[in-house]
Amino acid sequence: LKRVNFASGDYRPQYDAALRKLGVDAAVIKAPSRAELGRFQEEDGYHLKSEYVRWVMPAHSLAEHERALGKHRGQFLKQLKASEGFKFGPPEPLTTEKYASWYPLYQEEIVQNKPGGKSNVGPNFVQERVEKGDIAAWYGLFYYDPAAPAIMVGGVIMKAWPERGMFVMGYAAYRPDFRKANPNVRNLAEILPLARKLGFKVVSFGQDTNFFGYDYTLGLMSNKAGHLLTPYPEDEVVLLKVLDTRKISSLQDKQGKNGGYFFFGIRRDSPLVERYLASKEAGEPKEAQELLGGGYFTPEILPAAGITVARHFKGNDPNPLRAPSGVEVVELPMAPPSSGN
């Protein structure tokens, strides 16, 4: 999406018409002030949100995870079985050799073949970690073709992150045929025991840009929700206004259906907002994760259900989304493409 970022105090609603004529899809007010939150309301299309969302879950045992899935346990086990034909793991310390085999997959499947794909890691990633002195924090889990065991078909690199109190599933890439085997389910089954062994109480499936339906598919959000991951606000707090939905409406599945768009907003009446405004008014607007409190899933942290509200602007696809349990989902029709929202 083409967007224009405004510093706090610079945006005016009368700019919208001109922005639409220039082909702008969304306007974003960075680090909004108390006055701007009072003036620009949700019902008028101004949505308070974080720029990213962090997906986390307790590092419980695999048996505990299966019990927590409830009626979805059978589907989880079926998906887990789908990966058994591939050679894999266990997770191992990241090496130059394994990374060199995985990196071309990442470039092809993530950077080149995905709309808007960009590279977050480079060819010298391992050497840079060695020089920085933190290579011991990095691990890899790799998968190979059963018919040609020397050929890597996918993998994920991971980080032990004691500063944040979590074990993070970071960058992943898989050949299309292997994606059908639900690698994230196998990843979870292999990563949970390692995280617990290393003493972590939280597992993260990384962070995503907090806008699904164009930046990321709605299916990615539903997939992570299906693993019982909890979304928490991450990084900068902003106000978002979608001006034009034409690009979003152009994305259709094979049945010609459009899912609309989805993001995780921040409840304006939550303690997180007052903490954010206090930090802004003190001259240093902090990032969302710094404002949450203690470690994830501890009594000290603000619970996700009290700060996060999922907002789904529906297209013409009647199928329901699988959204995270415990987080309210507000559904509204997507505005007509000619007018934006």
Side-chain angles (χ1 to χ4, degrees), residues 250-282:
S250 71
L251 297 177
Q252 298 180 348
D253 62 18
K254 294 178 180 178
Q255 287 73 45
K257 299 297 183 182
N258 175 273
Y261 62 95
F262 184 108
F263 56 86
F264 293 102
I266 297 174
R267 293 184 180 277
R268 294 193 182 215
D269 60 353
S270 72
L272 183 71
V273 174
E274 191 54 45
R275 291 181 185 183
Y276 157 73
L277 289 172
S279 71
K280 172 153 178 92
E281 288 161 3

mmCIF file of all heavy atoms in Angstrom, residues 250-282:
data_model
loop_
_atom_site.group_PDB
_atom_site.id
_atom_site.type_symbol
_atom_site.label_atom_id
_atom_site.label_comp_id
_atom_site.label_asym_id
_atom_site.label_seq_id
_atom_site.Cartn_x
_atom_site.Cartn_y
_atom_site.Cartn_z
ATOM 1 N N SER A 250 -8.671 -5.483 -4.918
ATOM 2 C CA SER A 250 -8.194 -6.180 -6.115
ATOM 3 C C SER A 250 -7.619 -7.558 -5.795
ATOM 4 O O SER A 250 -7.425 -8.375 -6.689
ATOM 5 C CB SER A 250 -7.141 -5.339 -6.829
ATOM 6 O OG SER A 250 -5.932 -5.294 -6.084
ATOM 7 N N LEU A 251 -7.337 -7.814 -4.524
ATOM 8 C CA LEU A 251 -6.778 -9.115 -4.128
ATOM 9 C C LEU A 251 -7.919 -10.094 -3.922
ATOM 10 O O LEU A 251 -8.695 -9.976 -2.983
ATOM 11 C CB LEU A 251 -5.967 -8.985 -2.841
ATOM 12 C CG LEU A 251 -4.732 -8.074 -2.923
ATOM 13 C CD1 LEU A 251 -4.063 -7.987 -1.572
ATOM 14 C CD2 LEU A 251 -3.750 -8.579 -3.966
ATOM 15 N N GLN A 252 -8.008 -11.096 -4.797
ATOM 16 C CA GLN A 252 -9.102 -12.049 -4.748
ATOM 17 C C GLN A 252 -8.567 -13.473 -4.810
ATOM 18 O O GLN A 252 -7.506 -13.724 -5.387
ATOM 19 C CB GLN A 252 -10.077 -11.816 -5.913
ATOM 20 C CG GLN A 252 -10.736 -10.454 -5.878
ATOM 21 C CD GLN A 252 -11.700 -10.250 -7.038
ATOM 22 O OE1 GLN A 252 -11.717 -11.020 -7.989
ATOM 23 N NE2 GLN A 252 -12.518 -9.208 -6.947
ATOM 24 N N ASP A 253 -9.326 -14.401 -4.195
ATOM 25 C CA ASP A 253 -8.935 -15.811 -4.272
ATOM 26 C C ASP A 253 -9.461 -16.421 -5.572
ATOM 27 O O ASP A 253 -10.008 -15.712 -6.433
ATOM 28 C CB ASP A 253 -9.427 -16.576 -3.042
ATOM 29 C CG ASP A 253 -10.945 -16.591 -2.914
ATOM 30 O OD1 ASP A 253 -11.644 -16.326 -3.921
ATOM 31 O OD2 ASP A 253 -11.442 -16.873 -1.813
ATOM 32 N N LYS A 254 -9.301 -17.743 -5.721
ATOM 33 C CA LYS A 254 -9.695 -18.406 -6.970
ATOM 34 C C LYS A 254 -11.194 -18.360 -7.201
ATOM 35 O O LYS A 254 -11.658 -18.545 -8.330
ATOM 36 C CB LYS A 254 -9.207 -19.852 -6.952
ATOM 37 C CG LYS A 254 -7.688 -19.987 -6.980
ATOM 38 C CD LYS A 254 -7.248 -21.435 -6.923
ATOM 39 C CE LYS A 254 -5.732 -21.532 -6.945
ATOM 40 N NZ LYS A 254 -5.270 -22.951 -6.845
ATOM 41 N N GLN A 255 -11.959 -18.130 -6.150
ATOM 42 C CA GLN A 255 -13.416 -18.009 -6.271
ATOM 43 C C GLN A 255 -13.861 -16.562 -6.485
ATOM 44 O O GLN A 255 -15.056 -16.265 -6.487
ATOM 45 C CB GLN A 255 -14.112 -18.586 -5.029
ATOM 46 C CG GLN A 255 -14.096 -20.104 -4.937
ATOM 47 C CD GLN A 255 -12.716 -20.649 -4.591
ATOM 48 O OE1 GLN A 255 -12.050 -20.133 -3.698
ATOM 49 N NE2 GLN A 255 -12.280 -21.669 -5.306
ATOM 50 N N GLY A 256 -12.886 -15.662 -6.638
ATOM 51 C CA GLY A 256 -13.218 -14.266 -6.843
ATOM 52 C C GLY A 256 -13.634 -13.551 -5.571
ATOM 53 O O GLY A 256 -14.238 -12.477 -5.630
ATOM 54 N N LYS A 257 -13.318 -14.123 -4.417
ATOM 55 C CA LYS A 257 -13.701 -13.535 -3.141
ATOM 56 C C LYS A 257 -12.547 -12.727 -2.551
ATOM 57 O O LYS A 257 -11.376 -13.049 -2.730
ATOM 58 C CB LYS A 257 -14.130 -14.619 -2.149
ATOM 59 C CG LYS A 257 -15.332 -15.444 -2.598
ATOM 60 C CD LYS A 257 -16.572 -14.589 -2.730
ATOM 61 C CE LYS A 257 -17.782 -15.425 -3.102
ATOM 62 N NZ LYS A 257 -19.001 -14.593 -3.283
ATOM 63 N N ASN A 258 -12.922 -11.692 -1.828
ATOM 64 C CA ASN A 258 -11.949 -10.818 -1.193
ATOM 65 C C ASN A 258 -12.193 -10.789 0.311
ATOM 66 O O ASN A 258 -13.324 -10.609 0.759
ATOM 67 C CB ASN A 258 -12.067 -9.397 -1.771
ATOM 68 C CG ASN A 258 -11.173 -8.405 -1.064
ATOM 69 O OD1 ASN A 258 -11.547 -7.823 -0.061
ATOM 70 N ND2 ASN A 258 -9.979 -8.217 -1.585
ATOM 71 N N GLY A 259 -11.151 -10.992 1.083
ATOM 72 C CA GLY A 259 -11.298 -11.086 2.535
ATOM 73 C C GLY A 259 -11.311 -9.768 3.269
ATOM 74 O O GLY A 259 -11.552 -9.726 4.469
ATOM 75 N N GLY A 260 -11.016 -8.675 2.560
ATOM 76 C CA GLY A 260 -10.954 -7.386 3.233
ATOM 77 C C GLY A 260 -9.601 -7.162 3.880
ATOM 78 O O GLY A 260 -8.577 -7.636 3.387
ATOM 79 N N TYR A 261 -9.589 -6.448 4.991
ATOM 80 C CA TYR A 261 -8.329 -6.241 5.702
ATOM 81 C C TYR A 261 -8.564 -6.305 7.205
ATOM 82 O O TYR A 261 -9.695 -6.195 7.685
ATOM 83 C CB TYR A 261 -7.645 -4.942 5.286
ATOM 84 C CG TYR A 261 -8.391 -3.663 5.566
ATOM 85 C CD1 TYR A 261 -8.153 -2.928 6.732
ATOM 86 C CD2 TYR A 261 -9.304 -3.160 4.654
ATOM 87 C CE1 TYR A 261 -8.818 -1.745 6.982
ATOM 88 C CE2 TYR A 261 -9.981 -1.967 4.887
ATOM 89 C CZ TYR A 261 -9.736 -1.266 6.055
ATOM 90 O OH TYR A 261 -10.398 -0.086 6.297
ATOM 91 N N PHE A 262 -7.465 -6.468 7.931
ATOM 92 C CA PHE A 262 -7.538 -6.817 9.348
ATOM 93 C C PHE A 262 -6.291 -6.262 10.030
ATOM 94 O O PHE A 262 -5.194 -6.302 9.471
ATOM 95 C CB PHE A 262 -7.563 -8.344 9.450
ATOM 96 C CG PHE A 262 -7.737 -8.907 10.837
ATOM 97 C CD1 PHE A 262 -8.930 -9.499 11.211
ATOM 98 C CD2 PHE A 262 -6.707 -8.885 11.765
ATOM 99 C CE1 PHE A 262 -9.091 -10.049 12.479
ATOM 100 C CE2 PHE A 262 -6.858 -9.419 13.031
ATOM 101 C CZ PHE A 262 -8.064 -10.010 13.381
ATOM 102 N N PHE A 263 -6.462 -5.744 11.223
ATOM 103 C CA PHE A 263 -5.304 -5.358 12.029
ATOM 104 C C PHE A 263 -5.691 -5.434 13.500
ATOM 105 O O PHE A 263 -6.874 -5.538 13.848
ATOM 106 C CB PHE A 263 -4.799 -3.950 11.670
ATOM 107 C CG PHE A 263 -5.834 -2.873 11.780
ATOM 108 C CD1 PHE A 263 -6.083 -2.237 12.986
ATOM 109 C CD2 PHE A 263 -6.561 -2.482 10.669
ATOM 110 C CE1 PHE A 263 -7.052 -1.248 13.094
ATOM 111 C CE2 PHE A 263 -7.520 -1.486 10.761
ATOM 112 C CZ PHE A 263 -7.769 -0.876 11.974
ATOM 113 N N PHE A 264 -4.693 -5.392 14.352
ATOM 114 C CA PHE A 264 -4.917 -5.403 15.797
ATOM 115 C C PHE A 264 -4.788 -3.972 16.313
ATOM 116 O O PHE A 264 -3.707 -3.390 16.314
ATOM 117 C CB PHE A 264 -3.929 -6.328 16.490
ATOM 118 C CG PHE A 264 -4.137 -7.770 16.149
ATOM 119 C CD1 PHE A 264 -3.316 -8.410 15.231
ATOM 120 C CD2 PHE A 264 -5.180 -8.484 16.718
ATOM 121 C CE1 PHE A 264 -3.527 -9.736 14.904
ATOM 122 C CE2 PHE A 264 -5.402 -9.818 16.381
ATOM 123 C CZ PHE A 264 -4.576 -10.443 15.471
ATOM 124 N N GLY A 265 -5.929 -3.413 16.728
ATOM 125 C CA GLY A 265 -5.933 -2.068 17.273
ATOM 126 C C GLY A 265 -5.634 -2.077 18.762
ATOM 127 O O GLY A 265 -5.614 -3.125 19.415
ATOM 128 N N ILE A 266 -5.391 -0.884 19.286
ATOM 129 C CA ILE A 266 -5.177 -0.697 20.723
ATOM 130 C C ILE A 266 -6.425 -0.033 21.298
ATOM 131 O O ILE A 266 -6.887 0.994 20.779
ATOM 132 C CB ILE A 266 -3.940 0.183 20.994
ATOM 133 C CG1 ILE A 266 -2.676 -0.501 20.461
ATOM 134 C CG2 ILE A 266 -3.803 0.470 22.487
ATOM 135 C CD1 ILE A 266 -1.427 0.362 20.546
ATOM 136 N N ARG A 267 -6.988 -0.630 22.343
ATOM 137 C CA ARG A 267 -8.169 -0.039 22.984
ATOM 138 C C ARG A 267 -7.808 1.331 23.562
ATOM 139 O O ARG A 267 -6.856 1.462 24.336
ATOM 140 C CB ARG A 267 -8.659 -0.954 24.106
ATOM 141 C CG ARG A 267 -9.210 -2.293 23.638
ATOM 142 C CD ARG A 267 -9.744 -3.074 24.821
ATOM 143 N NE ARG A 267 -10.273 -4.365 24.421
ATOM 144 C CZ ARG A 267 -11.505 -4.554 23.936
ATOM 145 N NH1 ARG A 267 -12.327 -3.513 23.806
ATOM 146 N NH2 ARG A 267 -11.910 -5.753 23.592
ATOM 147 N N ARG A 268 -8.607 2.314 23.213
ATOM 148 C CA ARG A 268 -8.300 3.671 23.673
ATOM 149 C C ARG A 268 -8.506 3.848 25.168
ATOM 150 O O ARG A 268 -7.933 4.763 25.768
ATOM 151 C CB ARG A 268 -9.133 4.682 22.894
ATOM 152 C CG ARG A 268 -8.766 4.729 21.405
ATOM 153 C CD ARG A 268 -9.373 5.925 20.740
ATOM 154 N NE ARG A 268 -9.061 5.941 19.321
ATOM 155 C CZ ARG A 268 -8.834 7.049 18.621
ATOM 156 N NH1 ARG A 268 -8.880 8.230 19.228
ATOM 157 N NH2 ARG A 268 -8.588 7.007 17.330
ATOM 158 N N ASP A 269 -9.331 2.992 25.778
ATOM 159 C CA ASP A 269 -9.555 3.106 27.219
ATOM 160 C C ASP A 269 -8.630 2.193 28.022
ATOM 161 O O ASP A 269 -8.830 2.018 29.230
ATOM 162 C CB ASP A 269 -11.015 2.798 27.554
ATOM 163 C CG ASP A 269 -11.427 1.379 27.143
ATOM 164 O OD1 ASP A 269 -10.616 0.682 26.481
ATOM 165 O OD2 ASP A 269 -12.555 0.973 27.473
ATOM 166 N N SER A 270 -7.613 1.620 27.374
ATOM 167 C CA SER A 270 -6.715 0.709 28.084
ATOM 168 C C SER A 270 -5.613 1.475 28.815
ATOM 169 O O SER A 270 -5.252 2.592 28.419
ATOM 170 C CB SER A 270 -6.075 -0.269 27.103
ATOM 171 O OG SER A 270 -5.109 0.391 26.298
ATOM 172 N N PRO A 271 -5.057 0.879 29.874
ATOM 173 C CA PRO A 271 -3.943 1.533 30.578
ATOM 174 C C PRO A 271 -2.740 1.772 29.679
ATOM 175 O O PRO A 271 -1.951 2.684 29.936
ATOM 176 C CB PRO A 271 -3.599 0.532 31.691
ATOM 177 C CG PRO A 271 -4.816 -0.304 31.871
ATOM 178 C CD PRO A 271 -5.464 -0.389 30.519
ATOM 179 N N LEU A 272 -2.595 0.974 28.622
ATOM 180 C CA LEU A 272 -1.474 1.148 27.712
ATOM 181 C C LEU A 272 -1.483 2.548 27.093
ATOM 182 O O LEU A 272 -0.430 3.170 26.920
ATOM 183 C CB LEU A 272 -1.530 0.094 26.604
ATOM 184 C CG LEU A 272 -0.370 0.120 25.603
ATOM 185 C CD1 LEU A 272 0.909 -0.362 26.263
ATOM 186 C CD2 LEU A 272 -0.682 -0.724 24.376
ATOM 187 N N VAL A 273 -2.677 3.062 26.775
ATOM 188 C CA VAL A 273 -2.776 4.371 26.123
ATOM 189 C C VAL A 273 -2.318 5.474 27.061
ATOM 190 O O VAL A 273 -1.564 6.382 26.672
ATOM 191 C CB VAL A 273 -4.214 4.620 25.626
ATOM 192 C CG1 VAL A 273 -4.348 6.036 25.083
ATOM 193 C CG2 VAL A 273 -4.575 3.609 24.544
ATOM 194 N N GLU A 274 -2.743 5.417 28.316
ATOM 195 C CA GLU A 274 -2.316 6.450 29.261
ATOM 196 C C GLU A 274 -0.816 6.370 29.511
ATOM 197 O O GLU A 274 -0.134 7.401 29.635
ATOM 198 C CB GLU A 274 -3.096 6.320 30.577
ATOM 199 C CG GLU A 274 -2.917 7.505 31.505
ATOM 200 C CD GLU A 274 -3.231 8.850 30.850
ATOM 201 O OE1 GLU A 274 -4.261 8.959 30.149
ATOM 202 O OE2 GLU A 274 -2.433 9.798 31.034
ATOM 203 N N ARG A 275 -0.276 5.156 29.561
ATOM 204 C CA ARG A 275 1.178 5.008 29.719
ATOM 205 C C ARG A 275 1.906 5.606 28.512
ATOM 206 O O ARG A 275 2.938 6.265 28.653
ATOM 207 C CB ARG A 275 1.543 3.529 29.874
ATOM 208 C CG ARG A 275 1.082 2.903 31.172
ATOM 209 C CD ARG A 275 1.501 1.442 31.248
ATOM 210 N NE ARG A 275 0.950 0.795 32.438
ATOM 211 C CZ ARG A 275 1.214 -0.464 32.779
ATOM 212 N NH1 ARG A 275 2.013 -1.209 32.041
ATOM 213 N NH2 ARG A 275 0.675 -0.982 33.869
ATOM 214 N N TYR A 276 1.342 5.343 27.327
ATOM 215 C CA TYR A 276 1.953 5.880 26.106
ATOM 216 C C TYR A 276 1.915 7.412 26.115
ATOM 217 O O TYR A 276 2.920 8.076 25.833
ATOM 218 C CB TYR A 276 1.236 5.343 24.865
ATOM 219 C CG TYR A 276 1.421 6.231 23.668
ATOM 220 C CD1 TYR A 276 2.647 6.286 23.017
ATOM 221 C CD2 TYR A 276 0.398 7.072 23.229
ATOM 222 C CE1 TYR A 276 2.849 7.145 21.956
ATOM 223 C CE2 TYR A 276 0.594 7.934 22.177
ATOM 224 C CZ TYR A 276 1.819 7.966 21.531
ATOM 225 O OH TYR A 276 2.019 8.818 20.495
ATOM 226 N N LEU A 277 0.744 7.992 26.440
ATOM 227 C CA LEU A 277 0.623 9.447 26.425
ATOM 228 C C LEU A 277 1.533 10.097 27.461
ATOM 229 O O LEU A 277 2.122 11.157 27.215
ATOM 230 C CB LEU A 277 -0.834 9.847 26.653
ATOM 231 C CG LEU A 277 -1.784 9.541 25.489
ATOM 232 C CD1 LEU A 277 -3.225 9.803 25.911
ATOM 233 C CD2 LEU A 277 -1.426 10.353 24.254
ATOM 234 N N ALA A 278 1.666 9.449 28.617
ATOM 235 C CA ALA A 278 2.566 9.990 29.638
ATOM 236 C C ALA A 278 4.002 10.010 29.124
ATOM 237 O O ALA A 278 4.749 10.978 29.353
ATOM 238 C CB ALA A 278 2.458 9.164 30.917
ATOM 239 N N SER A 279 4.398 8.956 28.410
ATOM 240 C CA SER A 279 5.761 8.910 27.876
ATOM 241 C C SER A 279 5.947 9.947 26.770
ATOM 242 O O SER A 279 7.001 10.573 26.665
ATOM 243 C CB SER A 279 6.087 7.504 27.355
ATOM 244 O OG SER A 279 5.381 7.195 26.172
ATOM 245 N N LYS A 280 4.910 10.144 25.944
ATOM 246 C CA LYS A 280 5.005 11.157 24.886
ATOM 247 C C LYS A 280 5.101 12.550 25.477
ATOM 248 O O LYS A 280 5.919 13.374 25.037
ATOM 249 C CB LYS A 280 3.807 11.066 23.953
ATOM 250 C CG LYS A 280 3.764 12.232 22.960
ATOM 251 C CD LYS A 280 3.081 11.924 21.716
ATOM 252 C CE LYS A 280 3.028 13.156 20.786
ATOM 253 N NZ LYS A 280 4.156 13.207 19.859
ATOM 254 N N GLU A 281 4.270 12.814 26.482
ATOM 255 C CA GLU A 281 4.257 14.144 27.075
ATOM 256 C C GLU A 281 5.521 14.418 27.894
ATOM 257 O O GLU A 281 5.857 15.583 28.150
ATOM 258 C CB GLU A 281 2.992 14.304 27.912
ATOM 259 C CG GLU A 281 1.756 14.426 27.024
ATOM 260 C CD GLU A 281 0.438 14.135 27.727
ATOM 261 O OE1 GLU A 281 0.452 13.878 28.953
ATOM 262 O OE2 GLU A 281 -0.601 14.144 27.041
ATOM 263 N N ALA A 282 6.213 13.349 28.254
ATOM 264 C CA ALA A 282 7.505 13.517 28.922
ATOM 265 C C ALA A 282 8.628 13.741 27.911
ATOM 266 O O ALA A 282 9.784 13.942 28.302
ATOM 267 C CB ALA A 282 7.818 12.294 29.776
#
